[in-house]
């Protein structure tokens, strides 16, 4: 499987991150990814942010507003029925311990949910995204199977219309 | 009636299978939760309630305790449907549950609501005492009130008492601990506690009996019968309390009929509750029919000077909107005079008063045959207020009519 992330998603995530940064919340932000799956290629075309909170010291304590999720998703479905919930994102920059349990919550909406970590403040050149999918791992020593994340190849792709938009943006950025 | 957002934390650990509460602890808990939900929403329709599970929910071996089942909402259906589907499993994780509830309250939509957590604990508590006190201090700092209901489990009682004392601190921020012993009826016990009764003693609203089978009648199946039974119980109680005597109400400001009904109701609330102490039920929360019954009863107690008061009240109420303020002012003026009679339905002697009351009743046409006939009856049989034979008939007529209107 491959994950193709559209530029709109990157823009939304970064905007979300900056929004939260402005009100002083420098923790990570979490949101839902929308898209479609065709021929083993996952197209992530849209996203939206979710109210999310977790304790600094105790990462096990977290809260995600799933009613907000459902309401927002219903509204997005009215705009484009083909976009389904395909996973979720957060701004990392790395994996956290409670990502597995948050993933479980999203899996109630889509069993093959994908986690994409979008690094909103990348230090070096390269892809800002990393995609993971949860798999059950069977230990050799017979202890009960646990879930971990497995890495998926990801890339940035766009439709023609989106490419035009991105080009315009780049031109503006270069001019400044 | 403060604005409150409440998160109810339900214990759904394996200990809830125990049958020492009838029928099972889980069911008793569910009844209690619905009781609290109704109490909160009736006390203020803008209140929100959410639901959260305290015990671990094992799904693919990752622990999921402190799961928010329903977000803060005032929709009964949402909360109840999830409540009845809760699985019983796992072990209680108190601290985590409280912390998640705290987070959920931080993200509440009604930012000016007061946050409150109601926790049900029915299993032994295993918690690090340091962490416990730290949690209590944190909740106190964030001004979250918490009510703990411990049922069926005595071992953790002292720890909770400490918890509550730490949270309450010097000023009482109304956090309570209620211990319910095994075998008692959980919803019934909670009714009499400060969880249901808010600070001004407004108490449990009508329309909901403590246990579902109070008076042998299920309020859901036959609400009218249940209500009728409840009214007669209350009449009895009121008769007894009237003998205890009433203090005078400090003078009520002249109620301007054109003011907001809500504010006048609140005013009356305050005076009624502070002054009499008889009214342990919030008058505003009675249904209209019960208010009428209550008002009639009260005015019946003030035998002699009934007429003048009735006339005044009539004029005051002439332009007030709706039965509500009518009844409120009736009870108010009745409270102002101190009368102690035991005879019932003296006020019905005054045909003008009766006519007024009936006019304001929704759906009653004052000029209709039946009403006119009844009023004539009242005219006829008495020149003198003390004739009481047919009054009882009238009363039953009137009540019967009222029941017909429903």
């Amino acid at each position: 499987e491959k994950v193709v992330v559209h530029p709109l998603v990157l823009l939304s995530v970064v905007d979300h991150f900056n929004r939260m940064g402005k009100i002083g919340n420098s923790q990570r932000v979490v949101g839902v990814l929308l898209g479609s799956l065709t021929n083993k290629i996952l197209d992530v075309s849209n996203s939206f942010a979710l109210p999310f909170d977790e304790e600094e010291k105790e990462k096990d304590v977290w809260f995600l507003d799933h009613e907000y999720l459902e309401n927002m998703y219903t509204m997005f479905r009215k705009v484009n029925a083909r976009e389904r919930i395909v996973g979720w994102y957060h701004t990392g920059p790395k994996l956290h311990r409670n990502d597995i349990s948050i993933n479980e919550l999203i899996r109630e909406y889509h069993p093959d949910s994908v986690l994409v970590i979008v690094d909103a403040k990348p230090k070096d050149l390269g892809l800002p995204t990393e995609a993971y999918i949860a798999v059950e791992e069977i230990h050799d020593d017979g202890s009960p199977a646990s879930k971990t994340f497995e890495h998926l190849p990801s890339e940035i792709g766009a439709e023609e219309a989106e490419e035009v938009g991105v080009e315009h943006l780049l031109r503006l950025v270069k001019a400044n | 009636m403060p604005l409150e957002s409440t998160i109810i934390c339900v214990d759904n650990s394996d200990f809830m299978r125990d049958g020492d509460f009838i029928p099972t602890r889980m069911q008793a808990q569910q009844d209690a939760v619905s009781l609290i939900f109704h109490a909160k929403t009736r006390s203020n329709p803008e209140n929100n309630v959410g639901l959260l599970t305290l015990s671990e929910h094992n799904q693919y071996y990752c622990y999921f305790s402190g799961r928010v089942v329903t977000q803060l909402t005032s929709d009964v259906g949402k909360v109840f449907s999830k409540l009845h589907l809760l699985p019983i499993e796992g072990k209680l994780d108190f601290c985590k549950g409280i912390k998640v509830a705290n987070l959920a309250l931080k993200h509440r939509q009604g930012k000016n609501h007061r946050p409150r957590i109601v926790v049900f604990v029915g299993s032994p508590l295993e918690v690090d005492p340091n962490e416990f006190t730290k949690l209590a201090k944190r909740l106190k700092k964030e001004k979250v009130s918490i009510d703990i209901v411990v049922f069926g489990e005595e071992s953790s009682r002292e720890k909770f008492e400490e918890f509550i004392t730490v949270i309450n601190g010097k000023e009482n921020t109304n956090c309570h601990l209620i211990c319910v012993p095994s075998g008692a009826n959980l919803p019934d016990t909670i009714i009499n506690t400060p969880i249901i009764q808010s600070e001004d003693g407004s108490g449990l609203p009508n329309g909901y009996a403590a246990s579902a089978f109070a008076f042998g009648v299920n309020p859901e199946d036959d609400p009218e019968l249940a209500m009728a039974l409840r009214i007669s119980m209350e009449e009895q109680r009121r008769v007894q309390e009237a003998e205890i005597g009433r203090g005078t109400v400090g003078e009520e400001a002249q109620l301007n009929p054109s003011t907001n009904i809500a504010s006048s109701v609140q005013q009356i609330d305050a005076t009624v509750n502070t002054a009499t102490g008889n009214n342990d039920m919030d008058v505003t929360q009675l249904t209209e029919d019960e208010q009428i019954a209550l008002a009639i009863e009260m005015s019946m107690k003030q035998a002699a000077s009934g007429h003048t008061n009735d006339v005044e009240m009539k004029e005051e109420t002439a332009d007030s909107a709706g039965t509500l303020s009518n009844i409120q002012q009736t009870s108010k003026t009745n409270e102002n005079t101190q009368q102690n009679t035991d005879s019932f339905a003296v006020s019905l002697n005054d045909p003008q008063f009766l006519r007024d009351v009936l006019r304001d009743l929704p759906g009653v046409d004052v000029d209709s045959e039946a009403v006119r006939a009844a009023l004539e009856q009242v005219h006829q049989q008495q020149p003198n207020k003390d004739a009481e034979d047919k009054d009882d008939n009238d009363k039953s007529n009137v009540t019967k009519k009222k029941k017909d209107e429903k």
Side-chain angles (χ1 to χ4, degrees):
Chain A
E1 275 195 21
K2 191 167 68 160
V3 178
V4 175
V5 180
H6 288 233
L8 176 61
V9 173
L10 293 177
L11 203 59
S12 299
V13 174
V14 173
D15 180 67
H16 182 201
F17 183 73
N18 288 336
R19 260 199 326 262
M20 299 303 275
K22 272 197 201 132
I23 61 173
N25 192 354
S26 58
Q27 290 177 331
R28 60 174 176 160
V29 296
V30 170
V32 167
L33 296 172
L34 304 168
S36 51
L37 178 65
T38 36
N39 301 341
K40 293 210 166 182
I41 300 184
L42 187 69
D43 247 327
V44 181
S45 48
N46 207 347
S47 64
F48 61 83
L50 287 175
F52 173 79
D53 212 348
E54 63 184 348
E55 292 247 339
E56 291 264 1
K57 320 266 175 62
E58 245 192 83
K59 291 295 179 145
D60 258 349
V61 180
W62 54 271
F63 158 77
L64 189 87
D65 196 340
H66 54 90
E67 233 153 280
Y68 179 97
L69 199 168
E70 286 169 20
N71 292 339
M72 199 66 157
Y73 178 49
T74 323
M75 289 195 275
F76 267 94
R77 265 245 305 264
K78 292 189 186 166
V79 175
N80 186 346
R82 220 164 293 165
E83 279 181 352
R84 305 286 166 80
I85 295 183
V86 293
W88 60 295
Y89 69 82
H90 71 74
T91 49
K94 298 258 153 65
L95 277 174
H96 291 243
R97 279 193 159 261
N98 47 12
D99 283 354
I100 288 276
S101 21
I102 304 178
N103 196 36
E104 286 304 311
L105 189 83
I106 306 290
R107 279 183 89 238
E108 288 178 26
Y109 300 97
H110 181 247
D112 286 327
S113 130
V114 162
L115 162 62
V116 176
I117 300 191
V118 179
D119 193 357
K121 295 182 164 176
K123 309 258 165 51
D124 31 49
L125 231 55
L127 273 185
T129 60
E130 271 174 23
Y132 298 95
I133 190 164
V135 290
E136 253 184 68
E137 203 177 58
I138 308 193
H139 298 282
D140 290 332
D141 54 4
S143 54
S146 59
K147 294 215 139 194
T148 56
F149 281 116
E150 191 184 288
H151 196 265
L152 284 177
S154 61
E155 65 181 32
I156 313 285
E159 308 196 6
E160 284 186 22
E162 293 174 325
E163 280 188 19
V164 172
V166 173
E167 262 177 62
H168 271 274
L169 274 179
L170 283 177
R171 228 174 284 159
L172 277 175
V173 168
K174 274 216 185 118
N176 284 0
Chain B
M1 294 185 279
L3 269 179
E4 252 188 356
S5 286
T6 313
I7 294 236
I8 304 184
C9 301
V10 172
D11 181 359
N12 59 330
S13 63
D14 281 320
F15 285 83
M16 292 302 112
R17 292 185 213 270
D18 200 334
D20 57 354
F21 284 85
I22 301 164
T24 57
R25 285 194 190 178
M26 191 63 183
Q27 291 247 21
Q29 229 184 148
Q30 285 170 352
D31 288 337
V33 169
S34 57
L35 187 72
I36 296 183
F37 186 87
H38 280 296
K40 295 288 176 197
T41 29
R42 300 255 180 142
S43 97
N44 188 330
E46 286 189 37
N47 280 349
N48 286 337
V49 181
L51 199 59
L52 187 146
T53 55
L54 280 179
S55 82
E56 294 164 351
H57 168 57
N58 266 351
Q59 207 180 24
Y60 296 104
Y61 320 104
C62 61
Y63 293 119
F64 229 163
S65 69
R67 189 162 70 104
V68 177
V69 176
T70 328
Q71 270 289 44
L72 289 166
T73 174
S74 48
D75 181 6
V76 190
K78 246 189 251 184
V79 178
F80 282 1
S81 55
K82 294 281 171 79
L83 175 68
H84 289 283
L85 292 175
L86 284 178
I88 300 182
E89 58 196 346
K91 253 175 32 160
L92 189 78
D93 193 340
F94 183 78
C95 290
K96 181 161 174 211
I98 300 288
K99 288 184 190 159
V100 176
N102 197 13
L103 279 182
L105 282 171
K106 251 200 270 180
H107 285 261
R108 64 185 182 280
Q109 284 197 321
K111 296 284 179 202
N112 55 340
H113 286 213
R114 284 214 311 233
R116 177 176 278 276
I117 305 180
V118 177
V119 192
F120 286 88
V121 180
S123 28
L125 188 71
E126 294 165 11
V127 79
D128 175 27
N130 271 344
E131 209 189 318
F132 214 37
T133 11
K134 255 197 273 177
L135 184 61
K137 290 202 183 123
R138 210 172 117 196
L139 287 178
K140 176 173 165 191
K141 195 171 74 166
E142 304 189 357
K143 301 220 174 84
V144 178
S145 341
I146 183 166
D147 293 323
I148 305 186
V149 179
V150 181
F151 57 103
E153 198 69 39
E154 294 295 314
S155 56
S156 24
R157 190 187 175 140
E158 296 93 37
K159 292 194 205 154
F160 282 124
E161 279 175 5
E162 246 185 77
F163 194 80
I164 295 282
T165 15
V166 173
I167 287 201
N168 269 337
K170 298 201 189 107
E171 350 83 56
N172 196 352
T173 43
N174 56 54
C175 302
H176 312 104
L177 170 69
I178 286 97
C179 293
V180 183
S182 289
N185 191 335
L186 186 59
D188 278 337
T189 329
I190 306 192
I191 281 205
N192 300 325
T193 63
I195 293 188
I196 303 288
Q197 306 189 339
S198 50
E199 299 92 55
D200 55 352
S202 39
L204 187 71
N206 259 338
Y208 205 87
S211 63
F213 294 88
F215 315 121
V217 166
N218 189 343
E220 328 251 323
D221 286 344
D222 197 344
E224 294 174 359
L225 182 53
M227 193 167 60
L229 289 170
R230 207 178 307 123
I231 293 179
S232 41
M233 269 262 293
E234 284 153 13
E235 280 165 9
Q236 267 295 78
R237 197 170 15 122
R238 229 159 281 288
V239 162
Q240 289 170 3
E241 287 168 354
E243 295 166 8
I244 303 180
R246 307 198 213 141
T248 342
V249 175
E251 205 22 289
E252 260 288 306
Q254 196 57 321
L255 274 182
N256 186 0
S258 59
T259 51
N260 201 348
I261 290 189
S263 58
S264 65
V265 160
Q266 271 179 9
Q267 253 184 319
I268 296 185
D269 243 359
T271 16
V272 163
N273 283 328
T274 50
T276 50
N278 287 348
N279 265 347
D280 44 3
M281 256 183 343
D282 192 1
V283 186
T284 60
Q285 288 160 359
L286 304 176
T287 63
E288 284 185 3
D289 291 336
E290 293 178 87
Q291 282 170 351
I292 292 171
L294 177 58
I296 289 180
E297 209 184 327
M298 284 181 159
S299 41
M300 140 287 265
K301 285 179 187 144
Q302 47 139 59
S305 57
H307 266 303
T308 35
N309 275 355
D310 289 341
V311 168
E312 275 173 29
M313 166 207 66
K314 234 188 338 156
E315 287 168 357
E316 281 176 14
T317 62
D319 47 345
S320 63
T323 324
L324 192 64
S325 40
N326 190 358
I327 300 307
Q328 298 297 348
Q329 305 204 6
T330 316
S331 40
K332 170 199 84 164
T333 37
N334 290 334
E335 306 257 308
N336 279 336
T337 63
Q338 307 179 34
Q339 303 291 341
N340 273 334
T341 2
D342 286 295
S343 57
F344 190 84
V346 169
S347 64
L348 287 177
N349 301 333
D350 181 17
Q352 247 324 68
F353 165 54
L354 190 57
R355 179 180 274 275
D356 266 342
V357 170
L358 288 178
R359 188 192 306 135
D360 282 332
L361 269 181
V364 174
D365 185 9
V366 178
D367 298 321
S368 77
E369 279 303 328
V371 176
R372 250 201 242 135
L375 285 178
E376 273 175 24
Q377 266 187 342
V378 175
H379 274 287
Q380 273 169 9
Q381 23 97 343
Q382 55 122 26
N384 181 356
K385 256 200 304 184
D386 295 321
E388 300 199 48
D389 312 74
K390 293 241 184 97
D391 284 356
D392 291 341
N393 279 349
D394 283 344
K395 163 206 158 207
S396 51
N397 271 349
V398 173
T399 22
K400 231 192 304 178
K401 239 187 302 288
K402 282 186 284 174
K403 292 232 184 296
D404 291 337
E405 321 299 356
K406 268 196 290 183

